[in-house]
């Protein structure tokens, strides 16, 4: 339901839009009027003339909206204490005005129609009591309507605030992203890396080599075409070599793992970030310190299937950054792209090895 | 050589210094100045230039002076301009940072006469050599050819397996291959493995088991050579 105050200009626009905006009001009132008049007619066994309904319901409905939209706003404005006298006073004035207007309308109807059928115009205590009852009855309804309205307005406000907060966060994320992008602006990034490389080349060949491998990985990350479904396996193999090299450099080449593949497999196309994720997992969760039992990564082709197998000793210090989500993600992506054509199994073997076996169609 | 970054000029200067047949004529950090001088100067063999430069971009400069140089090589931080570069007949595209090895390889591809001496050279009549062991603070260790079981490639490093140890050293597999090919015992069986045939213990399907327990997969492109060697060495019965 909408607040009448906010939509007053709309009244000028067109009757249709008003009817549409307040359709629930119209429907409710229609149902209410039918309900009241039908039940009244059952009790008194007669219908009042139509003009009566029109006149008095116009009065009642006007009172309803005046109370909800103006009187209550006025009364509830001040302090809590002032309400103690404002509310009874307002109701008293309303009842008085209502009774007066009702009597006036009765008089007009009496004067200009012959509905009274010869009876004299009189003001009985029954009529007065009826007017007061009707007035309080509609004030009650109207107050209920007012609070429901307030509730929806409050709700909308909270929703708006929530949305603004969300917008704020999105804006923040956007600017953080822009900042990040500026940092990895390729020209800036690689010129800086080149600068470090040139300076480190003679004084610290190991540092220089590390920068080269890092640049390779960064170039791959920056250059990756977003949203492309397939990538050349060779590119990913290069990144795996870079990744292994970075780890080996940092650990003085004391990590034991072998990466087996044949040159001719490089041209195969597969969905990206499968191989890299598996190798990253080995570094995260594997024990690569045993020379006699190195981790193995192998890519082979058999029977028109590319098969990627990895095998590593499980680290004795479990990495808290779970493995499950990465594997679940690979599984989802494989079945999304290759459906039943791919197989992906992984698990613990002999209580100390982690093995992964994956097969997807070759081209 | 044109690059608005000083360190890039310094880098290429030192690379050129390693190649005795290469002479650096001039360097510019200002592309406009380069356009004036090269445009009115004598023809040169190679121009190296960055792409992203203030005033005149590398692409514009290259278009203007392309006829003055035999080879044109772009050296740039990222590959955004690769397409435009090849449009104006650039010969190569070096992405920064690049190694001396890649630089030298690119130059020798265009000018074979500048070929460099193999950086690793040893007296071949000896039955051993020394390498720097990375795990032992780069101290020199002696390795006898007869003791080598296998050599494993790890990017720019190799790991040499002997019965007693494994030595990691900063040599590429292609360099050690040049040395080892003098000795008929060695053969490459995988992109990243050279083995001593003497030290093969077992052949199981597609894998070789070496005397120290090392298991090596045979690479596709090396299969024929390995099989030829194995069948030559296999004693078969003549009974049917």
């Amino acid at each position: 339901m909408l607040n009448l105050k906010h939509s007053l200009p709309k009244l000028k626009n067109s009757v249709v839009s008003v009817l549409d905006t307040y359709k629930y009001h119209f429907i409710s009132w229609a149902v209410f009027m039918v309900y009241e008049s039908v039940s009244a007619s059952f009790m008194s066994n007669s219908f009042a003339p139509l003009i009566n309904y029109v006149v008095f319901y116009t009065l009642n409905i006007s009172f309803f909206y005046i109370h909800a939209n103006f009187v209550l706003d006025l009364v509830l404005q001040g302090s809590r204490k002032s309400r103690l006298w404002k509310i009874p006073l307002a109701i008293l004035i309303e009842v008085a005005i209502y009774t007066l207007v009702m009597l006036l309308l009765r008089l007009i109807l009496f004067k200009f129609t012959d509905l009274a059928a010869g009876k004299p115009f009189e003001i009985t205590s029954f009529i007065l009591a009826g007017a007061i009852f009707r007035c309080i009855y509609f004030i009650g309804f109207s107050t209920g309507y007012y609070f429901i309205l307030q509730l929806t307005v409050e709700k909308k406000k909270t929703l708006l605030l929530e949305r603004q907060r969300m917008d704020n966060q999105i804006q923040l994320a956007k600017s953080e992203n822009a900042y990040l992008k500026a940092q990895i602006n390729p020209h800036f990034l690689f010129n800086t890396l080149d600068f470090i490389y040139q300076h480190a080349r003679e004084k610290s060949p190991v540092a220089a080599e590390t920068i080269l491998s890092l640049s390779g990985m960064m170039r791959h990350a920056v250059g990756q075409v977003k949203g492309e479904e397939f990538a050349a396996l060779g590119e990913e193999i290069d990144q795996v070599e870079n990744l292994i090299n970075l780890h080996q450099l940092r650990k003085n080449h004391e990590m034991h793992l072998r990466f087996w593949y044949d040159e001719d497999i490089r041209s195969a196309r597969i969905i990206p970030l499968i191989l890299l994720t598996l190798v990253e997992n080995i570094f995260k969760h594997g024990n690569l310190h045993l020379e006699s039992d190195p981790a193995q990564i192998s890519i082979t082709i058999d029977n028109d299937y590319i098969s990627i197998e990895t095998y590593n000793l499980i680290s004795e210090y479990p990495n808290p950054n779970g493995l499950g989500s990465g594997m679940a993600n690979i599984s989802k992506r494989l079945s999304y792209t290759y459906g039943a054509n791919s197989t992906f199994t992984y698990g613990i073997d002999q209580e100390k090895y982690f093995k992964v076996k994956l097969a997807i169609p070759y081209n | 050589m044109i690059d608005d970054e000083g360190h890039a000029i310094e880098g290429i200067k030192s690379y050129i210094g390693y190649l005795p047949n290469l002479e650096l004529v001039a360097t510019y950090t200002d592309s406009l100045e380069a356009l004036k001088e090269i445009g009115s100067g004598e023809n040169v063999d190679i121009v190296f230039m960055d792409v992203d430069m203030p005033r005149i971009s590398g692409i514009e400069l290259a278009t203007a002076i392309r006829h003055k140089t035999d080879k044109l090589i772009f050296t740039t931080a990222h590959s955004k301009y690769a397409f435009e570069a090849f449009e104006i007949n650039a010969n190569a595209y070096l992405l920064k940072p690049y190694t001396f090895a890649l630089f030298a390889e690119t130059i020798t591809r265009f000018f074979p006469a500048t070929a460099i001496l193999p950086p690793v050279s040893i007296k071949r009549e000896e039955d051993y050599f020394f390498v720097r062991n990375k795990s032992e603070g780069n101290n020199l260790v002696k390795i006898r050819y007869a003791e080598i079981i296998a050599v494993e490639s790890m990017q720019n490093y190799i790991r040499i397996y002997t019965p007693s140890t494994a030595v990691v050293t900063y040599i590429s597999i292609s360099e050690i291959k040049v040395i080892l090919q003098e000795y008929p015992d060695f053969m490459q069986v995988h992109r990243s493995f050279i083995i001593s045939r003497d030290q093969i213990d077992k052949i199981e399907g597609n894998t070789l088991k070496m005397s120290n327990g090392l298991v090596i997969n045979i690479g596709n492109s090396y299969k024929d050579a390995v099989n030829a060697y194995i069948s030559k060495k296999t004693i078969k019965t003549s009974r049917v």
Side-chain angles (χ1 to χ4, degrees):
Chain A
M1 281 197 273
L2 283 165
N3 196 325
L4 192 67
K5 267 197 296 187
H6 296 315
S7 23
L8 272 176
K10 269 192 188 166
L11 275 167
K12 292 171 198 159
N13 284 351
S14 72
V15 180
V16 179
S17 83
V18 170
L19 280 175
D20 189 55
T21 317
Y22 295 114
K23 59 180 175 235
Y24 295 114
H25 289 229
F26 286 109
I27 293 168
S28 311
W29 283 120
V31 170
F32 180 76
M33 286 187 285
V34 169
Y35 159 75
E36 269 207 342
S37 43
V38 169
S39 45
S41 73
F42 269 118
M43 283 186 263
S44 64
N45 251 331
S46 70
F47 271 107
L50 187 66
I51 185 86
N52 271 14
Y53 289 109
V54 174
V55 168
F56 291 110
Y57 273 115
T58 309
L59 172 68
N60 293 337
I61 294 169
S62 308
F63 235 78
F64 176 92
Y65 286 115
I66 290 168
H67 180 75
N69 290 313
F70 302 106
V71 179
L72 279 178
D73 274 348
L74 215 65
V75 166
L76 296 177
Q77 253 174 16
S79 63
R80 266 175 188 278
K81 266 194 178 166
S82 73
R83 288 178 199 169
L84 281 176
W85 59 267
K86 270 187 185 170
I87 293 170
L89 182 70
I91 291 172
L92 260 172
I93 295 170
E94 279 182 302
V95 170
I97 293 172
Y98 180 90
T99 312
L100 276 175
V101 173
M102 202 212 60
L103 289 175
L104 198 68
L105 287 172
R106 278 183 84 91
L107 188 65
I108 292 166
L109 280 176
F110 178 81
K111 282 263 160 119
F112 297 100
T113 64
D114 52 356
L115 292 172
K119 281 183 223 164
F121 179 75
E122 47 185 2
I123 299 168
T124 61
S125 59
F126 176 75
I127 288 170
L128 279 180
I132 294 166
F133 164 76
R134 271 314 248 183
C135 182
I136 290 173
Y137 182 65
F138 277 97
I139 284 175
F141 263 143
S142 179
T143 308
Y145 164 72
Y146 174 83
F147 284 113
I148 289 171
L149 213 64
Q150 291 300 308
L151 212 69
T152 41
V153 167
E154 282 301 311
K155 245 188 202 166
K156 265 186 196 158
K157 257 189 209 162
T158 349
L159 219 72
L160 197 74
L161 277 176
E162 185 72 9
R163 196 172 303 153
Q164 275 171 347
R165 209 175 56 86
M166 292 279 281
D167 278 354
N168 253 351
Q169 280 180 343
I170 290 169
Q171 286 309 319
L172 184 68
K174 270 188 187 162
S175 40
E176 277 172 355
N177 197 17
Y179 176 73
L180 215 64
K181 265 190 187 159
Q183 299 314 296
I184 57 164
N185 161 294
H187 203 256
F188 176 78
L189 175 71
F190 295 113
N191 268 323
T192 309
L193 288 171
D194 185 43
F195 175 77
I196 306 171
Y197 175 74
Q198 294 299 346
H199 280 267
R201 210 160 39 85
E202 280 175 9
K203 293 175 200 113
S204 169
V206 173
E209 206 197 335
T210 310
I211 290 160
L212 271 181
S213 281
L214 183 67
S215 312
M217 294 209 73
M218 297 302 278
R219 200 180 292 288
H220 179 75
V222 169
Q224 225 172 21
V225 184
K226 300 251 156 30
E228 199 167 292
E229 197 178 4
F230 296 96
L233 187 54
E235 278 175 37
E236 200 135 315
I237 285 174
D238 288 342
Q239 296 325 309
V240 168
E241 300 262 19
N242 278 329
L243 185 69
I244 294 174
N245 198 27
L246 283 176
H247 279 278
Q248 291 286 28
L249 284 165
R250 277 164 46 196
K251 295 287 149 101
N252 210 16
H253 283 90
E254 279 157 14
M255 303 200 109
H256 298 281
L257 86 164
R258 303 235 159 78
F259 183 24
W260 303 101
Y261 67 92
D262 279 310
E263 282 297 316
D264 46 5
I265 213 163
R266 295 181 63 97
S267 59
R269 296 183 74 77
I270 73 164
I271 52 174
L273 294 174
I274 299 286
L275 180 64
L276 261 173
T277 309
L278 292 176
V279 178
E280 269 167 1
N281 277 339
I282 293 178
F283 282 110
K284 247 193 242 166
H285 304 284
N287 170 7
L288 307 174
H289 304 300
L290 221 62
E291 191 178 344
S292 58
D293 208 346
Q296 312 264 353
I297 306 150
S298 72
I299 313 174
T300 49
I301 299 174
D302 23 76
N303 301 325
D304 290 332
Y305 276 87
I306 301 174
S307 114
I308 300 175
E309 284 174 69
T310 74
Y311 151 104
N312 61 273
L313 274 168
I314 297 167
S315 169
E316 54 265 58
Y317 314 106
N319 190 318
N321 298 322
L323 173 75
S325 63
M327 297 310 250
N329 182 275
I330 291 180
S331 178
K332 258 185 218 156
R333 291 180 56 222
L334 282 175
S335 67
Y336 176 74
T337 307
Y338 303 102
N341 274 328
S342 67
T343 57
F344 180 48
T345 53
Y346 56 91
I348 294 163
D349 190 46
Q350 295 167 44
E351 290 182 354
K352 56 177 180 170
Y353 298 110
F354 187 74
K355 280 186 172 179
V356 178
K357 192 167 163 54
L358 177 159
I360 52 171
Y362 180 38
N363 292 343
Chain B
M1 167 71 210
I2 308 136
D3 199 313
D4 61 312
E5 306 265 356
H7 67 263
I9 300 231
E10 290 309 310
I12 221 163
K13 258 189 196 166
S14 73
Y15 283 175
I16 290 170
Y18 300 142
L19 295 173
N21 292 342
L22 229 55
E23 185 203 344
L24 185 62
V25 181
T27 63
Y28 306 91
T29 49
D30 181 345
S31 50
L32 198 62
E33 198 187 318
L35 174 66
K36 279 186 209 147
E37 286 196 19
I38 301 172
S40 61
E42 285 181 22
N43 285 6
V44 292
D45 292 323
I46 311 178
V47 167
F48 298 95
M49 67 163 83
D50 191 6
V51 181
D52 240 345
M53 288 187 290
R55 302 179 74 154
I56 310 175
S57 88
I59 301 288
E60 287 170 298
L61 176 61
T63 316
I65 62 163
R66 185 66 190 88
H67 63 284
K68 286 280 181 183
T69 175
D70 182 11
K71 305 290 180 204
L72 174 65
I73 298 173
F74 281 113
T75 57
T76 185
H78 63 125
S79 48
K80 186 164 88 178
Y81 306 102
F83 180 72
E84 287 102 319
F86 282 96
E87 284 273 281
I88 48 174
N89 292 321
N91 299 88
Y93 207 91
L94 292 170
L95 289 173
K96 294 177 196 168
Y98 51 88
T99 58
F100 171 69
L102 184 65
F103 177 80
E105 188 194 306
T106 309
I107 303 293
T108 41
R109 196 165 78 225
F110 301 132
F111 302 97
T114 59
I116 46 168
L117 302 165
V120 184
S121 57
I122 49 159
K123 280 185 185 167
R124 300 223 157 96
E125 55 269 25
E126 305 276 5
D127 65 352
Y128 62 85
F129 59 90
F130 282 102
V131 288
R132 294 195 180 275
N133 186 354
K134 196 162 179 290
S135 316
E136 281 177 32
N138 273 342
N139 286 331
L140 288 166
V141 291
K142 180 196 267 183
I143 290 178
R144 295 179 192 283
Y145 290 103
E147 281 185 348
I148 298 176
I149 297 167
V151 176
E152 179 185 10
S153 158
M154 300 184 298
Q155 282 78 29
N156 298 319
Y157 295 80
I158 52 167
R159 182 180 270 134
I160 304 171
Y161 293 91
T162 65
S164 53
T165 180
V167 175
V168 174
T169 188
Y170 187 73
I171 303 175
S172 76
I173 188 119
S174 46
E175 287 170 324
I176 195 84
K177 197 176 160 185
V178 173
I179 295 158
L180 294 182
Q181 71 193 5
E182 301 287 316
Y183 296 80
D185 249 3
F186 296 103
M187 88 185 290
Q188 189 160 10
V189 296
H190 187 273
R191 186 184 43 77
S192 50
F193 269 103
I194 294 172
I195 57 142
S196 163
R197 299 195 284 215
D198 237 18
Q199 307 276 357
I200 301 175
D201 253 14
K202 247 191 218 173
I203 299 151
E204 287 168 342
N206 207 22
T207 62
L208 300 174
K209 192 164 186 198
M210 307 304 290
S211 59
N212 63 343
L214 188 66
V215 177
I216 296 166
N217 295 344
I218 303 168
N220 275 348
S221 31
Y222 305 94
K223 248 176 219 165
D224 292 346
V226 176
N227 286 338
Y229 165 74
I230 292 166
S231 57
K232 199 176 79 187
K233 283 285 183 185
T234 307
I235 300 168
K236 285 180 208 141
T237 173
S238 50
R239 288 178 295 180
V240 181

